[in-house]
Amino acid sequence: MQFHRSVLGSVAISALLFSGAGYAQEADEADDVVEVVTEAPAEDEARQEKIVVTGSLIARDEFASSSPIQVITAEVATLEGLVDTAALLQGSSLASGSTQLNNTFQNFVTNGGIGSQTIDLRGCGDTRTLVLIDGKRPGSSGTRGSIAALDLNVVPQSIIQRVEILKDGASTIYGSDAVCGVVNIITRDSVDSLELNGFISQPFESGGEQYSLSAAYGFDLGDFANFTFSAEYRLDEEMDVSQRDYLDCPRDYVRDPVSGRLIDRLNFSATATDPNRNCSSLYHNTAIDLFSEERLVPSPDGITVPTAFGGFIPGYRPRVGTGFTADGQPFYEDILDAPFLDNQDFFPKNENLSLFATADVDLGGIAWDTELLYSKRKTDVEGWRQFFPIVGSAINPAGNNPGFGYIADPTYSNSMFSLVQAVMPYPTTNNIEVDYYYASSSLSGGFAPGMLDGWSWKVDGSYSRGEGSYGGNEILASLSGDWNLDGVADTDGDGVPNTVGPPSINYLDPDILSGARVQDLVNAVGGYQTGNTVYEQTTFTAVLAGELFELPAGPLGVGLGAEYREFSIDDQPGVLTQSGDIWGSSTAGPTVGTNSVSELFAEVSVPLLKGAPLAEDVEFSASIRGFDYDIGGSDSIYKAGLNWQINPVLRARTSYGTSYRAPALFELFLDDQTGFLAQTSIDPCIDWGQSQNANIRANCAAAGIPDNYVGAAGSALVVTSGGGEDLRPETGDTFTVGIILTPTGADLNIAFDYYEIEIKDQITSLSGAQIVGGCYGTTTFPNDFCSLFDRAAADDPVAPFGLDNILAPTLNVDSQSQRGLDMEVRYTHEFNFGTMIFDGSVNWAFERYINVFGADFVSGIDNNDFNGTVGYPSIVGDASIRLDRGDWTYTWFTDFIGRQDDNRYYADNFNEPQDYFGLPGLYTSSTEAVFQHGASVRWQGDSLTLAFGINNIFDETPPQVSPDLVQISAGNTPLSATGYDLRGRRAFMSVSKTF
């Protein structure tokens, strides 16, 4: 891949998207995405009000922060048709340049479980972005054992006033997880009257509709107390993959290098209705004779042909793996698509109900603030999977038996016996319910006159509890009849033969293989189970802040604090998962554990100069935090910053700090979880004779593997587990430096912030590919990675040289680092026809490195800088132009996602023609830059507000790539590139009424 760093191109993009950068704004203003910057004061008094801003303990000038802070106000949701908190945050430029966990990953094991939505700033990982509600840390929730980050589903959008995003690390102020940024959700603190709000988003194509209803009410008891109550219901309707062309029917997407036409294999299967609908949705409706290695598929002409070993299925014949038409076009006969697959969910049905209440009470100079939040989420998913058991087949001496017949105890000594793998479709369902409870209460105040004048104190206590249940259907291993599990073999290595008997249904019935009798198959081998997860957190915090003494440039500010936090998880998977009686799915034991931390922290703000030439206002700030975890160790971190107002036009700021992230509970206590990976996705020794990696060539040869090895049948078992007390906290370093321009004579604000982030000893569970690659890719062979998996012998009857039992414990690996530039622009001008406001934001990532094994590891990857690869574009941005004219507001908004290319990440150069079934072909490994536009109109009356708009107004579809070149895809759409609009063009409307 070409690393897109063209200065000319970047300037052109900036000129097209932006005419400025970030801007200052009052907290109660409702505008678009902003950057908190310093405006030139009209007079000294203009900068006197002091508040506590995100990332600080000390009340200070609202815009005098040495750390860059971006603000997103709630009005963005109204003007851009965003229905939930996740959409509001994940669409920001700090997030859209990396893969965001949303509700499209239901077929994968993800943090928080199915339907969970989190925020990941800069691609560091959602466990390294801390989310706060009104400056306090709520606990996590979700399902299964891997829970860490806050699920944004629990925060109703209707309660949000604004969101402050701190762009650098803030572990000294907030503790663990605040490594790459902090998201502080500021809720509404008052409601003047009853409010009713309704929202609908309707795609122009069916599927993916979104609805929201909310209500809020508030009242005062004089000057003594203020109370608010709000409720929100949100419904996301399901959207099937078949309802969008770009999600349906994945193709190889390979082009002729000369003509540029697609040369994807044509679909000549018996069920094909159009040869050009050459999908690879779900491989099924086939049987594989493992002795002759022939695959039987439905005959296009209905003629029955036996295998070379003698078995047959009526109406089936040995397939043509890849054939060629007279003009050289490749084709296939496999069954890879079927109408019943159309109901597979891409967006699952999701319902959220949230209740929120606040109470602000004045207790004679002491403020008592309380927040209560309850949220309930239901997520239902429908999909399909493969079921491919191996069964025994008896064959008579003449080799002309009328089909494969099952025998209970086959042996290899019986020459009249074969092994057959039947591949058929199987439906999946997942049903998730999560209840979340959060309560926070604070007391704050000052001191009596003459006692610590100008000082304030605050004590907080909060508690959260997430209760999740997750149910789903499974294939029972005990009923599967899988020869790998039956009495002829000891497949689990415990010295005792397994006890699975023959199946109760004929898998080789054409109606079973095709899915026509799928309910009979479910009745024969299916089961349902439910697991439960509870995550609790209790936090107590105390802060004392004030001015210690006066310096020539102003008062020296000090903040002191202490915090205690205790958190626990209790995940009890379903009985089938715990017993292991499930076929082809993850198994897991309970994940149970508790951890706690005690912390002390302090911050100082030192004014250095004021009113001097080229130093109108210079302030130094520093903070420190010490922590002691019950599990995770003790240490301390620090941060220092400088904020320099050079003149009324120019301000500079910089900060440097260390950070840490303690191991999450699931990283410590996760019980063994099993999963399955295809051999071809993890084994570097497949066709190692063609490898350009000298280590892989030498080590695979030393292991006795043939240089043309094609890979074993079936999948490899991968066992993931927590790291326990051996895990160390991650540590990090963050450096930022920025300049802010506020030219006189124009209401224009421009901010540039350069950042560098390095995370050391990062905690991760290595993938199966990384573990096997660590064995064969190093200069030392064998090594410790080789002991983490098994490889079958050359004479294994089913999977010679096949990989299995890969152990993937959670551990500390090497490091990740990144650097880049943020730019924010705001320009406002009053014309005689109204007020025009332009906002723009861009993130330009220069480098993003992940060093898993250290500098001496030879990975077979050309470059471990994954910046610019699919899912991590080098440049992303957003912009809006808005006209306020009386009661009307007109808005045009644009999102930009830069070019992405996976080619440069791999040793093979996919920009050059590759072998495609004997033909030269160009795989599609890159995406072009995309602009997504929308427009809206809003009318505001005295008590009624109406808004209407269209998202993705030009119906821009996500770029299409070859699915084999990306880790996760739907159709030819890369799911790791979550910045694209996947619902398509849609109209939205909102109505708000006050009484």
Side-chain angles (χ1 to χ4, degrees):
M1 166 169 67
Q2 299 298 320
F3 187 26
H4 186 63
R5 288 190 180 179
S6 167
V7 174
L8 180 60
S10 301
V11 171
I13 290 169
S14 299
L16 183 60
L17 275 179
F18 318 109
S19 63
Y23 62 92
Q25 128 174 359
E26 296 298 329
D28 59 355
E29 230 178 295
D31 287 311
D32 210 328
V33 179
V34 302
E35 163 66 28
V36 175
V37 302
T38 301
E39 289 183 322
E43 51 184 314
D44 291 344
E45 288 76 16
R47 294 176 56 87
Q48 294 305 305
E49 183 180 1
K50 294 186 177 183
I51 62 173
V52 175
V53 298
T54 299
S56 178
L57 305 173
I58 303 170
R60 63 179 72 222
D61 182 309
E62 184 179 1
F63 307 122
S65 171
S66 60
S67 297
I69 300 175
Q70 187 180 33
V71 176
I72 305 175
T73 64
E75 194 176 22
V76 173
T78 301
L79 298 179
E80 298 189 10
L82 306 176
V83 69
D84 59 22
T85 303
L88 185 69
L89 295 177
Q90 292 180 352
S92 67
S93 61
L94 293 176
S96 60
S98 57
T99 302
Q100 299 297 313
L101 183 58
N102 55 36
N103 57 2
T104 64
F105 294 96
Q106 58 265 20
N107 294 321
F108 302 90
V109 178
T110 56
N111 290 349
I114 292 174
S116 180
Q117 301 194 96
T118 60
I119 180 69
D120 173 6
L121 297 180
R122 303 200 190 283
C124 294
D126 58 8
T127 58
R128 301 177 184 95
T129 298
L130 179 62
V131 179
L132 308 173
I133 298 179
D134 292 322
K136 303 163 192 173
R137 176 198 291 258
S140 304
S141 64
T143 56
R144 301 185 180 269
S146 300
I147 296 178
L150 179 71
D151 181 6
L152 298 175
N153 286 300
V154 307
V155 184
Q157 184 180 237
S158 59
I159 72 171
I160 297 176
Q161 181 190 68
R162 68 184 187 279
V163 179
E164 297 177 356
I165 301 178
L166 187 69
K167 299 182 185 181
D168 65 355
S171 290
T172 55
I173 301 299
Y174 299 115
S176 179
D177 307 341
V179 177
C180 293
V182 176
V183 175
N184 189 8
I185 299 172
I186 310 298
T187 64
R188 300 175 63 184
D189 56 9
S190 66
V191 178
D192 296 330
S193 59
L194 176 63
E195 298 179 6
L196 299 178
N197 304 281
F199 174 87
I200 180 173
S201 175
Q202 177 65 56
F204 281 48
E205 298 182 72
S206 62
E209 297 83 3
Q210 297 175 292
Y211 310 94
S212 176
L213 292 172
S214 65
Y217 177 69
F219 63 90
D220 298 328
L221 296 180
D223 295 331
F224 166 71
N226 171 267
F227 300 90
T228 69
F229 303 89
S230 61
E232 179 180 289
Y233 172 76
R234 191 178 78 249
L235 171 63
D236 295 342
E237 293 284 14
E238 69 179 57
M239 188 180 85
D240 297 333
V241 294
S242 61
Q243 293 178 299
R244 299 295 184 271
D245 292 341
Y246 45 83
L247 301 175
D248 187 28
C249 193
R251 304 183 55 173
D252 295 335
Y253 238 64
V254 181
R255 298 184 181 275
D256 181 271
V258 177
S259 67
R261 68 178 180 89
L262 283 174
I263 59 172
D264 290 2
R265 294 187 299 164
L266 299 176
N267 181 0
F268 280 11
S269 68
T271 60
T273 57
D274 179 0
N276 290 306
R277 185 174 169 83
N278 41 6
C279 302
S280 54
S281 300
L282 185 74
Y283 184 70
H284 68 287
N285 203 356
T286 186
I288 306 168
D289 186 326
L290 296 183
F291 283 8
S292 68
E293 298 185 349
E294 285 187 305
R295 297 174 184 248
L296 287 170
V297 297
S299 302
D301 54 13
I303 297 176
T304 300
V305 180
T307 70
F309 208 72
F312 68 88
I313 301 173
Y316 285 61
R317 76 178 189 192
R319 70 159 188 179
V320 176
T322 296
F324 294 89
T325 63
D327 61 358
Q329 179 81 8
F331 68 86
Y332 63 83
E333 293 185 340
D334 297 287
I335 309 299
L336 303 177
D337 192 25
F340 60 79
L341 296 174
D342 288 350
N343 74 335
Q344 182 161 293
D345 289 350
F346 180 75
F347 287 117
K349 182 178 180 180
N350 196 81
E351 291 184 271
N352 283 81
L353 173 65
S354 301
L355 304 174
F356 184 69
T358 67
D360 300 328
V361 181
D362 184 357
L363 301 177
I366 296 177
W368 178 22
D369 302 325
T370 300
E371 294 180 347
L372 301 174
L373 171 64
Y374 168 74
S375 174
K376 184 178 187 66
R377 170 169 64 90
K378 294 180 64 177
T379 304
D380 298 308
V381 186
E382 296 178 332
W384 291 88
R385 60 177 292 192
Q386 283 182 322
F387 178 37
F388 44 91
I390 297 174
V391 292
S393 169
I395 301 175
N396 66 27
N400 60 357
N401 62 308
F404 294 103
Y406 301 101
I407 55 179
D409 188 20
T411 61
Y412 287 112
S413 60
N414 183 354
S415 61
M416 305 310 158
F417 163 74
S418 182
L419 288 177
V420 180
Q421 187 171 44
V423 184
M424 63 206 88
Y426 194 88
T428 62
T429 60
N430 287 281
N431 311 108
I432 311 299
E433 291 192 16
V434 180
D435 292 279
Y436 184 75
Y437 309 85
Y438 171 71
S440 173
S441 194
S442 304
L443 293 172
S444 60
F447 294 88
M451 295 179 57
L452 297 177
D453 289 339
W455 286 71
S456 62
W457 57 270
K458 185 176 185 180
V459 292
D460 296 327
S462 66
Y463 169 79
S464 66
R465 177 183 175 91
E467 300 176 359
S469 66
Y470 50 103
N473 66 328
E474 301 288 352
I475 301 172
L476 301 184
S478 58
L479 300 179
S480 68
D482 194 339
W483 184 88
N484 280 324
L485 304 175
D486 69 15
V488 303
D490 169 27
T491 60
D492 53 14
D494 62 0
V496 179
N498 296 306
T499 58
V500 176
S504 62
I505 191 170
N506 181 9
Y507 293 148
L508 302 182
D509 182 328
D511 286 341
I512 297 295
L513 290 173
S514 68
R517 290 177 53 201
V518 69
Q519 189 56 52
D520 291 341
L521 177 63
V522 171
N523 295 340
V525 302
Y528 191 91
Q529 65 171 344
T530 300
N532 294 277
T533 309
V534 175
Y535 192 103
E536 294 182 279
Q537 178 177 286
T538 303
T539 304
F540 296 101
T541 307
V543 174
L544 178 67
E547 297 173 354
L548 197 59
F549 50 79
E550 194 74 20
L551 293 173
L556 186 146
V558 175
L560 306 170
E563 182 169 291
Y564 173 80
R565 181 162 50 95
E566 183 175 287
F567 41 106
S568 65
I569 189 171
D570 185 351
D571 174 59
Q572 299 292 330
V575 293
L576 301 177
T577 295
Q578 294 197 48
S579 68
D581 189 17
I582 55 176
W583 184 97
S585 298
S586 296
T587 64
T591 297
V592 181
T594 300
N595 202 2
S596 63
V597 59
S598 299
E599 299 176 288
L600 296 174
F601 48 95
E603 182 184 11
V604 62
S605 172
V606 184
L608 300 179
L609 294 170
K610 192 173 185 68
L614 298 181
E616 287 199 356
D617 198 345
V618 182
E619 179 187 72
F620 169 80
S621 60
S623 54
I624 188 171
R625 192 180 191 100
F627 57 90
D628 181 13
Y629 275 85
D630 185 34
I631 304 175
S634 304
D635 207 340
S636 61
I637 53 177
Y638 66 89
K639 182 179 180 180
L642 187 68
N643 197 352
W644 189 327
Q645 186 73 43
I646 299 172
N647 56 41
V649 175
L650 180 64
R651 179 163 69 94
R653 61 187 174 199
T654 185
S655 67
Y656 173 80
T658 58
S659 61
Y660 77 98
R661 183 179 79 85
L665 291 174
F666 79 90
E667 293 169 330
L668 291 169
F669 302 113
L670 185 69
D671 204 345
D672 288 350
Q673 289 191 351
T674 63
F676 298 87
L677 290 173
Q679 302 276 338
T680 54
S681 68
I682 57 175
D683 193 348
C685 291
I686 292 176
D687 199 22
W688 62 260
Q690 301 299 316
S691 174
Q692 303 303 308
N693 186 315
N695 289 343
I696 289 177
R697 291 172 60 88
N699 297 335
C700 293
I705 301 170
D707 60 359
N708 61 348
Y709 172 58
V710 297
S715 302
L717 175 71
V718 181
V719 182
T720 304
S721 61
E725 297 189 12
D726 292 336
L727 288 180
R728 304 180 304 276
E730 297 177 347
T731 59
D733 300 275
T734 303
F735 169 73
T736 65
V737 60
I739 58 172
I740 300 94
L741 301 173
T742 56
T744 58
D747 194 351
L748 173 67
N749 299 281
I750 306 173
F752 296 92
D753 287 289
Y754 171 81
Y755 63 89
E756 291 181 355
I757 301 172
E758 182 179 13
I759 300 169
K760 291 165 283 189
D761 288 331
Q762 64 175 331
I763 301 169
T764 189
S765 178
L766 297 180
S767 68
Q770 288 173 320
I771 290 170
V772 181
C775 170
Y776 294 101
T778 59
T779 55
T780 301
F781 178 83
N783 53 53
D784 289 343
F785 289 105
C786 302
S787 64
L788 295 177
F789 63 90
D790 298 328
R791 187 181 282 279
D795 58 355
D796 187 277
V798 177
F801 297 112
L803 297 170
D804 204 7
N805 299 319
I806 301 174
L807 303 180
T810 304
L811 71 167
N812 294 94
V813 293
D814 199 64
S815 64
Q816 67 166 286
S817 60
Q818 55 181 287
R819 62 187 184 91
L821 181 70
D822 296 321
M823 183 178 72
E824 304 287 339
V825 180
R826 179 178 172 92
Y827 175 71
T828 303
H829 188 77
E830 292 187 10
F831 297 92
N832 56 7
F833 54 82
T835 301
M836 189 77 71
I837 303 172
F838 179 85
D839 296 311
S841 171
V842 67
N843 171 251
W844 182 13
F846 300 154
E847 294 176 342
R848 300 192 232 200
Y849 281 90
I850 291 183
N851 304 300
V852 177
F853 299 110
D856 61 345
F857 177 70
V858 180
S859 65
I861 293 176
D862 284 348
N863 191 340
N864 62 355
D865 178 10
F866 62 97
N867 186 46
T869 60
V870 175
Y872 297 90
S874 300
I875 304 177
V876 294
D878 53 67
S880 71
I881 186 167
R882 165 179 167 178
L883 174 64
D884 291 331
R885 179 179 171 86
D887 296 333
W888 296 86
T889 298
Y890 307 89
T891 306
W892 182 276
F893 45 94
T894 298
D895 293 320
F896 170 77
I897 301 171
R899 186 176 186 274
Q900 301 159 67
D901 193 339
D902 269 355
N903 179 60
R904 60 176 292 278
Y905 196 66
Y906 297 102
D908 293 325
N909 185 351
F910 286 100
N911 282 335
E912 300 297 327
Q914 305 292 305
D915 178 76
Y916 180 72
F917 299 100
L919 301 175
L922 284 172
Y923 285 78
T924 306
S925 62
S926 62
T927 70
E928 297 305 317
V930 170
F931 289 88
Q932 298 170 168
H933 303 278
S936 68
V937 178
R938 183 184 64 184
W939 175 80
Q940 289 181 297
D942 293 335
S943 62
L944 180 67
T945 299
L946 302 174
F948 172 82
I950 298 179
N951 269 306
N952 196 357
I953 200 166
F954 299 116
D955 202 18
E956 185 73 38
T957 60
Q960 305 291 278
V961 299
S962 297
D964 288 345
L965 302 188
V966 295
Q967 291 185 338
I968 307 173
S969 62
N972 291 97
T973 298
L975 296 189
S976 55
T978 52
Y980 297 117
D981 177 22
L982 300 178
R983 281 187 167 86
R985 182 195 291 131
R986 57 199 182 278
F988 64 87
M989 183 177 68
S990 64
V991 180
S992 179
K993 173 67 175 177
T994 60
F995 298 88

